[in-house]
Amino acid sequence: MSSYALSHLDHLESEAIFILRETAAQFENPVLLFSGGKDSIVMAHLAYKAFAPAKIPFVLMHVDTGHNFPETMEFRDQFVEKIGARLVVASVQDSIDQGRVTEETGVNASRNGLQTVTLLDGIEENQFDAALGGGRRDEEKARAKERFFSHRDDFGQWDPKNQRPELWNIFNGRKQHGEHFRVFPLSNWTEMDVWQYIKKENIDLPNLYFSHEREVFMRNGSLLAVTDFVTVQKHETVEKKIVRFRTIGDATCTGAVESPAADIDAVIQEVASARQTERGTRSDDKRSETAMEDRKKEGYF
């Protein structure tokens, strides 16, 4: 006799697809934020499944710092072409050139925090009323406070004390003119769930997620890659190591981990034994105890 019981991955997939369809139903012009990282790739894959055989009813938007790994950009363009989606790129460099933001200077300078203004400008310019993000509650304590439908005021700001209840998975997307929502279909997923789902669905990823040899150096507890965007100081030692990245973002603040995990099975084993969250390798989250929450209140992802 066949069983109708769902596995935990099937349940998470079903929940995420329901939220994606609910977003399409409640909002006039949603956008899917796409960075080329594993979470946004999984979210785009889910959207592809949710609306097949039709095309994804969302525009994809990448907030580009200009300091991304080349492998990420190459994969992004290939993936978007493969699924037949339309990509909008919001450029931090354009925000700098227009005087909207001031670029940081110094040894630890990063454009990661500047993305907030570029993101909000991109949302306003394109009149998006909902932005789908790949944030998960297990990533960071500020993200653990998020609802599936997370309200933003007309300044794009997030008030964690002013979020709406979501009893029985009933989502309230009502808003005033100028306000918008961030929607997080992967809220209940963990890093392990994401990797197991990637294996189950045979989803392609940038090769940065798997072990490879790269020149790296240690700075503020993070193993940063040698790139054109980072200046190695005299006291910092550059070494060639076998590393991979658990999370992919701006190259100036995304740390690698030493790892021999060259395939998905090895990565899953490694994640199972990890004692540090994946964002523990991000130097931008270490600037203060509340770095992520402070950025989110200003309108960050």
Side-chain angles (χ1 to χ4, degrees), residues 82-153:
K82 177 182 176 182
I83 65 174
R86 183 166 74 89
L87 177 70
V88 172
V89 177
S91 170
V92 172
Q93 184 62 55
D94 288 347
S95 298
I96 295 170
D97 294 341
Q98 294 164 10
R100 297 280 293 145
V101 293
T102 302
E103 187 155 22
E104 294 181 2
T105 58
V107 175
N108 297 311
S110 172
R111 290 184 174 182
N112 197 58
L114 307 185
Q115 293 179 95
T116 299
V117 172
T118 307
L119 170 63
L120 295 176
D121 286 348
I123 289 173
E124 183 176 1
E125 180 182 342
N126 293 281
Q127 295 296 295
F128 296 130
D129 54 357
L132 289 150
R136 308 189 319 271
R137 289 173 180 151
D138 78 315
E139 285 184 286
E140 207 274 342
K141 55 183 178 292
R143 285 186 167 163
K145 301 177 183 179
E146 288 281 18
R147 301 287 197 269
F148 283 107
F149 277 34
S150 182
H151 176 261
R152 296 296 192 272
D153 65 19

Side-chain angles (χ1 to χ4, degrees), residues 15 135-138 146-148 184-190:
E15 179 183 65
R136 308 189 319 271
R137 289 173 180 151
D138 78 315
E146 288 281 18
R147 301 287 197 269
F148 283 107
F184 301 101
L186 305 184
S187 287
N188 286 335
W189 297 51
T190 65

Side-chain angles (χ1 to χ4, degrees), residues 234-260:
K234 290 182 179 180
H235 65 277
E236 294 171 334
T237 303
V238 174
E239 301 176 276
K240 279 191 175 182
K241 293 181 178 289
I242 303 297
V243 300
R244 74 176 191 88
F245 293 87
R246 291 178 67 186
T247 177
I248 294 177
D250 190 293
T252 62
C253 60
T254 302
V257 293
E258 292 189 65
S259 169

Side-chain angles (χ1 to χ4, degrees), residues 148-171:
F148 283 107
F149 277 34
S150 182
H151 176 261
R152 296 296 192 272
D153 65 19
D154 51 356
F155 293 102
Q157 297 173 326
W158 174 64
D159 181 358
K161 296 180 180 179
N162 188 29
Q163 297 300 311
R164 300 169 183 181
E166 294 178 342
L167 304 176
W168 307 292
N169 281 351
I170 297 175
F171 304 114

Side-chain angles (χ1 to χ4, degrees), residues 221-277:
S222 295
L223 204 57
L224 298 182
V226 175
T227 65
D228 295 336
F229 317 121
V230 180
T231 302
V232 180
Q233 302 299 295
K234 290 182 179 180
H235 65 277
E236 294 171 334
T237 303
V238 174
E239 301 176 276
K240 279 191 175 182
K241 293 181 178 289
I242 303 297
V243 300
R244 74 176 191 88
F245 293 87
R246 291 178 67 186
T247 177
I248 294 177
D250 190 293
T252 62
C253 60
T254 302
V257 293
E258 292 189 65
S259 169
D263 56 40
I264 289 181
D265 289 326
V267 170
I268 289 173
Q269 284 188 331
E270 187 175 273
V271 171
S273 61
R275 291 295 177 267
Q276 182 186 46
T277 67

